[in-house]
């Protein structure tokens, strides 16, 4: 069988691990669009952490936030609920809700700023442990994993196995987890969601139909609001309704066929054991859109410094770069470029600035969003790099190597670029 693990209110559980007085409390972990990265004052503790754990994208974190002011912006309360404890959910607090709204529903709510480094570290450690007990594991997100038990655990042993696994995770990591199992990935994931919190649920192949029958269609993994509205328009309100609408769903083309297979547990989608990292990206949304271009480009320099550091640490050489700017009026400007250069920080700073200048088509409109990503990694082979630039790039590369080591040791702000000051 295929198993699916989902850590219960994961970020809140991690915080409770660090501070047990939070156990049993109405608690949320909330986030803001990281306003701290752009601080002009160099910070001592600001270290950049990269974990090459693959499945989830950028791991760029600062060591800690000051909890007392994190959610305040003057006299306004900012931020969005990332994770709510079950005690807070009882008051209607949920993920995606504004902190302001959450406090209205539950005035004695405890607010905790995010510590992504802690979450990633614990997730990574759990994954390492799971790899020792289940031969094929896939990290699906920071708090969800799939595992393939086929050829490893007999079907009738599944329930015992996941029960034991849940106990082991509780014992070793003190993290509550729910585990589902079925013959397909998406039915296993659905089984987990019906078992939460802290439950287990096995749905053998022959019981899938009875299990999914009355589940609302929008609770099926991957079916969003818009799509479930479309299905409801055709009278499909439950997964059971979908089962009896094969011809209709198949008529929606490739996507419809894939969807029908998932809904019926006949998709045969494999567990992908190693998802290697395909890109390194970084993006920031701003609570206050930035109008001043000098400030915008200062922020771009800060982001490129962090982004470049991650690329260096992971030891990859990208050849394709994408940049995008989001405007306050929700318009955006984006473009992708390919260049064969030996990666180094002066190069990428210069390149990014040049491209962002070209992209900024509406310099009078404030910017609310900045994003950059690097993909198409190649190995260091001088023959494929731009020969004209290669000598200089090699020198700059050595310099960047030295920078990377210094930042690892003394923090990200130890060397900043001239354009940031
Ligand atoms: Mg979870």
């Amino acid at each position: 069988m295929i198993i699916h693990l989902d850590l219960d209110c994961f970020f809140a559980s991690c915080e409770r691990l660090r501070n047990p007085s939070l156990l049993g409390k109405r608690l949320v972990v909330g986030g803001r669009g990281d306003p701290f990265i752009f601080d002009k004052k160099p910070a001592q503790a600001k270290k950049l952490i990269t974990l090459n754990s693959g499945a989830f994208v950028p791991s760029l974190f600062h060591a800690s936030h000051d909890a007392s002011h994190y959610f305040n912006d003057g006299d306004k309360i900012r931020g969005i609920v990332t994770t709510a404890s079950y005690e807070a959910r009882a008051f209607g607090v949920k993920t995606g809700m504004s902190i302001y709204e959450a406090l209205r529903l539950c005035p004695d709510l405890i607010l905790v700023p995010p510590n992504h480094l802690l979450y990633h570290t614990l997730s990574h450690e759990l994954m390492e442990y799971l790899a020792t007990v289940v031969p094929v594991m896939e990290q699906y997100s920071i708090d969800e994993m799939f595992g393939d038990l086929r050829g490893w655990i007999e079907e009738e042993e599944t329930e015992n196995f996941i029960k034991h696994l849940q106990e082991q995770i509780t014992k070793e990591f003190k993290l509550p987890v729910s585990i589902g199992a079925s013959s397909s990935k998406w039915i296993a994931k659905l089984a987990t969601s019906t078992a939460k919190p802290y439950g287990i649920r096995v749905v053998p192949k022959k019981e899938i139909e009875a299990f999914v029958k009355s589940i609302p269609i929008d609770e099926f993994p991957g079916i969003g609001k818009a799509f479930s509205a479309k299905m409801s328009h055709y009278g499909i309100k439950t997964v059971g309704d979908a089962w009896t609408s094969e011809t209709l769903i198949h008529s929606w083309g490739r996507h419809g066929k894939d969807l029908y297979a998932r809904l019926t547990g006949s998709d045969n989608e494999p567990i992908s054991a190693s998802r290697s990292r395909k890109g390194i990206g970084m993006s920031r949304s701003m609570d206050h859109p930035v109008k001043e271009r000098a400030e915008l480009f200062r922020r771009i320099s800060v982001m490129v410094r962090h982004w470049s550091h991650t690329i260096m640490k992971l030891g990859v050489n990208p050849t394709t770069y994408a940049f995008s700017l989001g405007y306050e009026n929700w318009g955006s400007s984006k473009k992708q470029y390919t260049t064969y250069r030996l990666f180094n920080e002066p190069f990428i700073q210069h390149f990014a600035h040049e491209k962002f200048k070209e992209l900024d088509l509406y310099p009078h409109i404030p910017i609310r969003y900045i994003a950059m990503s690097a993909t198409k990694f190649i190995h260091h082979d001088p023959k494929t790099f731009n020969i004209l630039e290669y000598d200089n790039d090699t020198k700059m590369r050595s310099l960047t190597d030295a920078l990377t080591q210094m930042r690892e040791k003394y923090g990200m702000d130890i060397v900043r670029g001239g354009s940031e000051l």
Side-chain angles (χ1 to χ4, degrees), residues 6-10 143-144 196:
D6 189 340
L7 293 147
D8 301 329
C9 57
F10 179 51
D143 68 339
E144 290 181 57
K196 283 184 135 319

Side-chain angles (χ1 to χ4, degrees), residues 11-38:
F11 294 179
S13 300
C14 294
E15 295 297 338
R16 286 168 163 173
L17 207 56
R18 208 171 49 154
N19 177 3
S21 76
L22 298 172
L23 281 162
K25 299 272 169 63
R26 297 160 199 158
L27 160 74
V28 304
V29 176
R32 292 188 51 178
D34 197 353
F36 305 99
I37 184 178
F38 299 123

Side-chain angles (χ1 to χ4, degrees), residues 396-412:
M396 291 302 162
R397 174 68 178 209
S398 318
L399 190 74
T400 313
D401 279 329
L403 263 177
T404 306
Q405 282 175 20
M406 272 173 76
R407 286 177 180 153
E408 282 302 293
K409 209 160 164 188
Y410 302 109
M412 271 314 287

